[in-house]
Amino acid sequence: MSRGRDSLQTIARVPRSQLVREQLREAIDRGDFGPGEALPSERELVETFQVSRVSVREAIRSLEAIGYVEVHQGRGSFVTKGPADEYIDAFARWLAVHKEEVMDLLKVRGALDELAAEGAAQRADESAMNRFRQAHDAFSSAAQEPEPKLDRLVQLDIAFHQAIAEASGSTLLIHLLQDLNQHLGESRKITLAPSGRPAKSAAEHAAIVRAINARRPAEAKRAVATHLAAVRTAVSDFEAMRAAVADPPVVPVS
């Protein structure tokens, strides 16, 4: 007996931002926009695609997360070379297996980093202050390089957060974060690989440093929470973008 209409399925609604992102990604892949070239302005994209500014901004943010574009405030969005394909493919395979574990570990890391920053703001002596300032300067300098070395960025990022843990004076936090960082190396590569992300991490680090220097524990905790929220978003955006690249949306023909 024929299943008839029971075999038919509702066509999934595809977010407009996803359709915009895919068209832009395909244009970049074709070479319509080369490295260093600016994409059309937000207003032009709104008019071209007949979508809202919100949809355009979400599409650009997704492309930035995977390293297709770099956004310069007040200047626009520019095509980048993006992370090397071997990095992207390796990260995608790794994340497909470890996504749930990574997100759980990042939540734990966030809680521990917040406690460390709070403790550092309350108890760090001048010697400890100097060490995490130097760690911040080292990461910030590396992040500003034209083509930052990913492995070096990861090590400098770990060193910065570990210096804050040491400044807190808590032996327990120091050891817990040391152990945790052994499991988060690959996730750090995912978050630091997209073009422009190292500089943003450096800016987030700077906010943490300012709060600790000012001896403001609550502000230091908030700065860490903001930073780790951005890290978790970067991981989620990476996974979503790679899934879309592997299985782009099908646009119904009207």
Side-chain angles (χ1 to χ4, degrees):
M1 181 177 177
S2 173
R3 293 174 60 195
R5 69 175 60 193
D6 291 339
S7 65
L8 304 179
Q9 297 180 0
T10 302
I11 295 175
R13 291 181 179 273
V14 179
R16 289 179 179 271
S17 61
Q18 190 173 343
L19 299 176
V20 172
R21 180 190 67 203
E22 284 308 301
Q23 284 209 44
L24 290 173
R25 183 186 64 78
E26 289 169 2
I28 293 171
D29 285 343
R30 286 195 305 267
D32 296 349
F33 300 98
E37 188 175 350
L39 292 181
S41 69
E42 183 179 284
R43 179 179 57 79
E44 290 172 319
L45 292 174
V46 166
E47 292 176 355
T48 298
F49 293 117
Q50 292 296 293
V51 297
S52 69
R53 287 181 179 271
V54 171
S55 294
V56 168
R57 288 170 185 168
E58 288 180 355
I60 295 297
R61 187 172 73 88
S62 294
L63 290 172
E64 184 183 25
I66 198 61
Y68 269 75
V69 302
E70 186 172 289
V71 178
H72 295 276
Q73 198 67 31
R75 293 177 53 206
S77 303
F78 296 81
V79 176
T80 65
K81 292 181 180 179
D85 288 342
E86 61 267 25
Y87 277 137
I88 292 178
D89 292 341
F91 295 162
R93 289 193 298 271
W94 183 85
L95 189 59
V97 176
H98 298 285
K99 170 70 184 299
E100 186 173 341
E101 174 190 354
V102 167
M103 298 308 284
D104 286 343
L105 288 175
L106 284 174
K107 290 177 184 177
V108 174
R109 178 193 155 192
L112 295 178
D113 276 346
E114 285 184 36
L115 289 173
E118 180 182 45
Q122 292 170 333
R123 297 184 293 275
D125 59 25
E126 192 57 33
S127 176
M129 288 276 204
N130 285 332
R131 284 195 294 274
F132 77 72
R133 287 182 196 127
Q134 290 169 0
H136 166 60
D137 289 343
F139 179 89
S140 184
S141 295
Q144 298 301 325
E145 293 175 2
E147 295 186 10
K149 298 291 187 286
L150 193 54
D151 288 338
R152 176 165 167 73
L153 282 174
V154 168
Q155 292 306 312
L156 291 174
D157 185 51
I158 291 173
F160 169 73
H161 287 281
Q162 200 62 40
I164 292 176
E166 291 170 2
S168 75
S170 169
T171 302
L172 178 60
L173 281 176
I174 292 170
H175 290 311
L176 286 174
L177 282 167
Q178 281 177 339
D179 291 341
L180 193 58
N181 282 326
Q182 293 179 7
H183 299 281
L184 288 172
E186 290 300 319
S187 71
R188 273 185 158 95
K189 289 181 181 179
I190 289 170
T191 59
L192 291 171
S195 179
R197 181 58 211 170
K200 289 184 178 179
S201 283
E204 291 159 10
H205 287 180
I208 298 170
V209 171
R210 286 194 298 271
I212 295 175
N213 282 341
R215 301 290 185 180
R216 295 174 180 162
E219 184 179 328
K221 286 184 69 175
R222 286 195 298 272
V224 169
T226 297
H227 175 49
L228 266 295
V231 169
R232 290 192 296 271
T233 297
V235 172
S236 296
D237 284 350
F238 181 91
E239 183 189 41
M241 185 61 184
R242 292 313 297 168
V245 170
D247 187 18
V250 176
V251 183
V253 178
S254 58

